Amino acid sequence: SSYFYPSAALGFVFSNAVNTPWLSHGKLRVNYAEVGNDAPALSLFDVYDKPTAFGSIPLFSLPSTKNNPNLRSERTKSFEAGIEAEFFEGRVGFDLTYYQSSTFDQIFAVNTTSATGNTARFVNSGEISNTGIELSAFGIPVNTNNFTWRFGLTFSRNRNEVVDLYEIGGVEVTNVQLASFQGGVTTNAAVGHPYGTLRGTNFVYTNGQRTVNDDGRYVATASSAEIIGNPNPDWLGGITNNLNYKNFALSFLVDMRYGGDIFSLDQWYGDGTGLYPDTAGLNENGVPSRDPVDEGGGILLPGVQADGSPNTIRAGNEDGSETVFGYPTSPPRAWYIFDGSYVKLREVAVTYSLPAGFIEKIKGLGGIDISLVGRNLWIIHKNMEYSDPEETLSSGNVSNGYQSGAYPAVRTYGFNVRFKF
């Protein structure tokens, strides 16, 4: 089997055609490319598994996922256009890129009824599109013999959409469940929505406001397939600064993420077991919320009753079976969707370069740099109160937007010596 993946690129250095003293470099570029991705190993033909023997009797079985000898190579078609420029002898510059890509014939295992003898099968499925921009810029405000300050900015914004999936028996499938997680939340590839969409129970709304039941608690939708979150960020950004004074250098990076929804199972269980401060304290009447309702305790949730009138029913918050929050009373999962935005001091490095006079005494050595480096030093801002928004269940994109068992954020420090020859 062979596959043809063409590509073409065109560039034009317009600064060679424009004679201006302030333009140091300018280039336009455009390119088109196709790339492929192969199927996972052992996904074409069915082979037997050999589980642990039953005593002295060897056992063999077919795997639960049905392989597919007719799989096609996954393909991505992409288009990119950009402009890069530098001004005033390289003191200021930027690089702006617009891209658009389409990935189709993706290969993954979809769920099937176990009546077929398998619980999943490999298919070529659908199309996903990505469109976005990437911008990097730099500036050198100060550049003297002893001191230099250079800063850089990065910004990226991507929008993806599941365009279509696949057909079964002539019926178009509009949703593929990528993973199901504890707490009743799933991640999905849903047609017309971003990849990784979160589904679960949502609030029931009356006249645009959350509806409470006769116990004063929020009503959850009957369906757990409501779209309750998009884990993809609205944009990402960063700011770098490099300051050099004689033999000393200081650099630091500030990292930013805006948007992106996260379901927190930690908060779901933490609230349900009364570990977090918002499950206790005084209510609006100055009475402990964990006191019985007939003694002035409980919580009055903002919202309306089923008839649209303002909520006046105080919900009990005495113990696990009566709490307003978390898993015991199964409130809408959308209540535990949080904004994953953050601003972090990602890295700081201080470097000292040994003097040239000392280096010249060592034959063949061009320089020695000694550095102290710190990573993840400070979460400057975040909207998730009790955990780091970057702490998700795993590193794969299937669990993107789902948090469970998050560890406290950890700072790391390092020492580095670099020799130049």
Side-chain angles (χ1 to χ4, degrees):
S1 299
S2 63
Y3 303 94
F4 177 58
Y5 300 120
S7 65
L10 179 66
F12 172 59
V13 182
F14 61 85
S15 56
N16 291 339
V18 179
N19 186 16
T20 57
W22 48 268
L23 180 62
S24 308
H25 171 73
K27 179 181 178 180
L28 295 171
R29 64 181 186 273
V30 61
N31 66 72
Y32 172 85
E34 293 187 20
V35 296
N37 188 26
D38 204 357
L42 304 179
S43 58
L44 297 181
F45 301 103
D46 292 330
V47 294
Y48 284 103
D49 290 334
K50 188 180 183 300
T52 303
F54 184 72
S56 61
I57 303 173
L59 299 178
F60 295 90
S61 66
L62 284 173
S64 58
T65 300
K66 177 70 173 175
N67 290 333
N68 184 352
N70 298 315
L71 286 177
R72 299 181 301 276
S73 173
E74 179 180 312
R75 298 173 74 93
T76 297
K77 298 179 179 180
S78 60
F79 167 80
E80 179 182 299
I83 179 173
E84 56 190 77
E86 295 182 6
F87 307 92
F88 309 113
E89 297 183 353
R91 295 290 292 269
V92 181
F94 71 89
D95 189 332
L96 176 64
T97 302
Y98 168 83
Y99 64 86
Q100 187 174 35
S101 67
S102 177
T103 303
F104 58 97
D105 281 345
Q106 296 174 96
I107 301 171
F108 59 90
V110 298
N111 295 329
T112 61
T113 172
S114 57
T116 63
N118 303 97
T119 58
R121 66 187 179 95
F122 280 110
V123 298
N124 288 106
S125 177
E127 178 183 352
I128 293 180
S129 67
N130 283 274
T131 303
I133 58 172
E134 295 178 345
L135 172 66
S136 63
F138 73 90
I140 306 176
V142 181
N143 187 16
T144 66
N145 292 333
N146 292 326
F147 180 70
T148 302
W149 171 28
R150 178 189 175 98
F151 71 86
L153 304 173
T154 61
F155 174 86
S156 65
R157 179 183 184 274
N158 182 74
R159 295 292 180 268
N160 72 30
E161 180 184 348
V162 178
V163 179
D164 71 295
L165 293 170
Y166 60 97
E167 291 186 0
I168 293 182
V171 178
E172 179 71 24
V173 174
T174 59
N175 188 86
V176 170
Q177 186 181 109
L178 303 173
S180 178
F181 298 110
Q182 192 176 0
V185 174
T186 61
T187 58
N188 303 265
V191 173
H193 297 277
Y195 183 84
T197 293
L198 299 172
R199 290 186 183 268
T201 57
N202 204 345
F203 295 95
V204 173
Y205 291 91
T206 302
N207 299 328
Q209 298 189 62
R210 296 173 178 177
T211 307
V212 300
N213 59 19
D214 294 338
D215 295 326
R217 300 186 180 92
Y218 286 128
V219 180
T221 56
S223 171
S224 61
E226 300 288 329
I227 293 179
I228 58 175
N230 172 17
N232 301 288
D234 293 336
W235 55 264
L236 301 172
I239 301 173
T240 60
N241 279 272
N242 294 276
L243 298 96
N244 293 271
Y245 177 72
K246 294 185 177 179
N247 289 8
F248 291 91
L250 169 67
S251 66
F252 60 91
L253 167 64
V254 176
D255 222 358
M256 293 170 281
R257 163 178 161 150
Y258 180 77
D261 297 320
I262 299 172
F263 175 84
S264 175
L265 187 71
D266 296 342
Q267 188 96 9
W268 168 259
Y269 278 120
D271 279 355
T273 53
L275 295 178
Y276 289 117
D278 53 1
T279 66
L282 305 178
N283 60 25
E284 73 280 3
N285 295 326
V287 179
S289 66
R290 293 185 178 180
D291 284 359
V293 172
D294 56 10
E295 297 179 10
I299 295 175
L300 187 65
L301 295 174
V304 297
Q305 301 177 56
D307 60 2
S309 60
N311 178 33
T312 58
I313 306 172
R314 193 173 298 277
N317 193 38
E318 298 176 47
D319 53 40
S321 62
E322 293 294 332
T323 180
V324 174
F325 306 98
Y327 73 94
T329 53
S330 197
R333 303 316 192 259
W335 201 356
Y336 290 91
I337 294 291
F338 297 92
D339 179 18
S341 301
Y342 62 77
V343 180
K344 293 184 176 185
L345 180 59
R346 182 69 71 184
E347 181 176 288
V348 175
V350 179
T351 301
Y352 175 70
S353 300
L354 295 184
F358 175 81
I359 299 299
E360 291 173 354
K361 298 177 182 179
I362 305 175
K363 186 177 180 180
L365 189 64
I368 300 177
D369 296 334
I370 303 172
S371 301
L372 295 175
V373 182
R375 294 273 302 172
N376 296 321
L377 298 177
W378 180 23
I379 301 178
I380 302 170
H381 169 78
K382 63 186 178 73
N383 291 330
M384 291 189 70
E385 187 172 3
Y386 300 115
S387 59
D388 185 343
E390 287 190 296
E391 281 289 331
T392 54
L393 185 61
S394 72
S395 59
N397 60 9
V398 170
S399 63
N400 187 26
Y402 181 84
Q403 186 179 81
S404 174
Y407 286 94
V410 177
R411 300 184 183 96
T412 60
Y413 303 93
F415 176 80
N416 179 55
V417 179
R418 184 173 60 179
F419 296 87
K420 301 176 184 178
F421 297 95

